[in-house]
Amino acid sequence: GVHAKRGVSCADCHMPYQSEGGQKFTNHQIGSPLSNVENSCFVCHREKVDALVSDVYERQAKIKEGSSKLQTQIAMAHIEAKKAWELGATEAQMKTIQTGIRHAQWRWDYSVASHGAAFHAPLETSRIISSGMAIIQEARIELTRLLASLGFNEPVPMPDFTSKDAVQTYIGLDIPAERAAKADFLQQVVPQWLKDGKARESKMGSKAVSSSK
Ligand code: HEC
Ligand code: HEC
């Protein structure tokens, strides 16, 4: 991205300098630079806060548009591949299709799981997403041909991808059970000193919370 090319470091944006009592230090509460545009961006930029923030959101929205489409195509390919296996497709018939699904999936993961990529390097990220899209469409064309050769000539039924509930039900995810398991896990892994600290903090009320910021 343009910032890396100009030698701007992660810390320039995510750990901006601040002063307190005559001491200058970098902020170690790493988070979104957008909550502190004055210190994070104004060192180098002179635009209005609104303009910089909307520029970031605009980039993220544009990338999301592409990554959401790619994600749906990958899910459809997985469902079509399952159908092909059920109809007796062989490993040899599935080989290039599986490779295609993996290669598209990696590109989706790389663009989405790195989180900041839509802002850090929007051009590179959209290039990766488009290449994932080309790969998955190729795999789906191959799947349609394979399904036809196995005697299946209609579209494979799909869940409603616009509804999270519908998709979770489709894959058999029991959300209440997952939530309970998570609560149980957190109960086990959160150390006692942290629980004690939190309890103390909430007893001390808002003063402690605001001074810890
Ligand atoms: C030019 C400023 C800038 C630089 C340099 C920068 N970032 Fe970011 N980063 C941002 C902005 C802006 C966001 C989006 C924040 C938001 O959406 O609230 C972001 C988002 C992120 C996120 C996602 C956070 C989330 O909750 O989704 C991560 C992780 C991240 N950056 C890590 C890094 C790392 C690691 C580096 C260095 C390799 C880096 N950033 C360099 C400005 C920068
Ligand atoms: C250490 C300096 C530095 C910091 C800090 C910095 N930038 Fe930049 N930014 C640059 C430079 C240099 C460029 C490239 C300018 C050019 O080529 O004209 C740039 C370019 C940009 C561009 C235009 C990118 C493009 O593709 O044309 C945007 C948007 C931007 N910065 C947003 C931000 C935001 C938001 C922050 C704070 C989170 C931030 N910058 C923090 C130095 C910085």
Side-chain angles (χ1 to χ4, degrees), residues 76-86 94 97 101 143:
M76 290 171 96
H78 274 289
I79 292 169
E80 287 159 349
K82 177 171 187 273
K83 187 82 197 165
W85 287 122
E86 282 168 3
M94 291 295 281
I97 292 167
I101 293 175
L143 272 162

Side-chain angles (χ1 to χ4, degrees), residues 177-191 195:
E178 295 294 333
R179 293 233 166 90
K182 183 178 175 182
D184 198 39
F185 173 74
L186 287 177
Q187 200 56 36
Q188 287 169 32
V189 296
V190 174
K195 284 181 202 157

